[in-house]
Amino acid sequence: MKEKIERLKELIDKCQHIVFFGGAGVSTESGIPDFRSKDGLYNQHDVRFDKYTPEYLLSHSCLINEPEVFFEFYRQKMDTRDIQPNITHYKLAEIENSGKDLAVVTQNIDGLHQRAGSSQVYEVHGTTFRNYCSRCKKEYPADYIFVSTEKVPKCECGGIIRPDVTLYGETLPEEAWSGAKNALRRAELLIVAGTSLSVYPAASMLDYFGGTHLVVINRDPLPNMGYYKPELEFYCSMGDIFSQL
């Protein structure tokens, strides 16, 4: 392990253009559950929602067809306002602030990378910290949905105020997606961390990587790497790795 961490340090020192591509596992050490593990969000049984699949509860169809159900689930499970960044978030910001061109491509919607100090963050699934009217596009404060007393928050124009989160059945935000692809094309080093690489199209991000150094940091081996062969693989706590950088 020590030799592998030293090699990771060498790669970070050597490479100017770096991309960190992270999923739910990046934020679990801050106390936010991931989705598919034994204790993840998709396995947390709640009698109010047991008749629905988690994918439906976080879908465009649920928002449109059963908005009261959507917002009850969203308020219960997606509120990360009091969650703090962990060592991984802070270390990535530190590396960027040292002068590296480090871009964070994240599938997470919790805003923890920005809170830790990273500035080049591409949120390919959106964020809970932006809200807007689905009809007139008026923007609303970051915590509006969580503090609203309306079961279904409504704009003055009558439209539903929704989170700027990419729901199942929606396309990824073009600006974030395009920025992420461009960052990957120029990257020399790609660190893939805390993701199962099972959610598309975000999982196809590896296809845009134009560099030579690929590192995987994950709790379990990744079954969807295809023909990609990581130079380094760490299967352990992410905090254990980043605390030693």
Side-chain angles (χ1 to χ4, degrees):
M1 176 70 79
K2 183 178 180 181
E3 291 181 358
K4 290 168 67 176
I5 289 177
E6 288 302 318
R7 177 55 180 160
L8 179 56
K9 290 180 182 179
E10 290 174 4
L11 290 175
I12 293 173
D13 287 342
K14 180 178 76 170
C15 298
Q16 177 61 25
H17 304 287
I18 303 169
V19 168
F20 178 89
F21 176 43
V26 178
S27 295
T28 54
E29 290 175 36
S30 288
I32 299 175
D34 62 11
F35 290 89
R36 292 171 175 81
S37 71
K38 181 180 70 173
D39 300 316
L41 184 64
Y42 287 3
N43 292 308
Q44 295 179 2
H45 297 293
D46 187 320
V47 293
R48 292 168 297 178
F49 309 117
D50 275 352
K51 69 176 182 178
Y52 303 101
T53 65
E55 288 86 355
Y56 175 73
L57 290 165
L58 291 174
S59 72
H60 179 80
S61 294
C62 186
L63 173 64
I64 299 303
N65 298 321
E66 298 184 80
E68 289 191 12
V69 172
F70 173 87
F71 282 104
E72 183 179 6
F73 183 81
Y74 182 83
R75 287 168 170 138
Q76 288 285 330
K77 305 296 185 181
M78 299 291 115
D79 188 357
T80 62
R81 289 174 297 164
D82 295 328
I83 303 296
Q84 297 303 313
N86 60 54
I87 183 63
T88 300
H89 299 104
Y90 285 118
K91 186 60 65 171
L92 290 168
E94 181 182 314
I95 294 170
E96 179 188 352
N97 292 332
S98 73
K100 297 290 183 179
D101 174 23
L102 190 151
V104 173
V105 178
T106 180
Q107 295 173 280
N108 296 335
I109 58 177
D110 51 42
L112 293 182
H113 286 291
Q114 293 93 325
R115 205 176 304 177
S118 290
S119 62
Q120 191 177 181
V121 181
Y122 299 103
E123 297 169 308
V124 295
H125 289 161
T127 176
T128 61
F129 285 86
R130 291 191 302 269
N131 304 292
Y132 66 94
C133 172
S134 57
R135 179 182 296 174
C136 72
K137 310 306 178 186
K138 178 181 177 180
E139 296 181 0
Y140 283 80
D143 63 350
Y144 188 89
I145 290 175
F146 297 114
V147 301
S148 173
T149 58
E150 296 179 284
K151 287 186 176 181
V152 178
K154 292 288 187 70
C155 177
E156 57 190 14
C157 77
I160 294 176
I161 299 169
R162 57 158 293 172
D164 192 5
V165 170
T166 305
L167 304 174
Y168 286 99
E170 297 181 330
T171 58
L172 298 188
E174 178 57 36
E175 186 175 350
W177 180 248
S178 177
K181 290 190 293 186
N182 289 335
L184 280 159
R185 289 185 179 112
R186 68 174 182 268
E188 305 158 78
L189 167 62
L190 170 60
I191 301 172
V192 177
T195 175
S196 63
L197 290 180
S198 61
V199 177
Y200 285 83
S204 66
M205 280 289 181
L206 271 66
D207 295 338
Y208 299 96
F209 176 47
T212 55
H213 304 293
L214 175 61
V215 175
V216 171
I217 306 173
N218 206 48
R219 185 182 53 214
D220 302 304
L222 298 177
N224 301 317
M225 292 298 291
Y227 57 83
Y228 296 100
K229 303 299 181 185
E231 181 174 339
L232 290 173
E233 297 177 82
F234 299 89
Y235 297 111
C236 58
S237 162
M238 206 170 304
D240 288 347
I241 303 302
F242 280 89
S243 63
Q244 298 182 64
L245 294 182

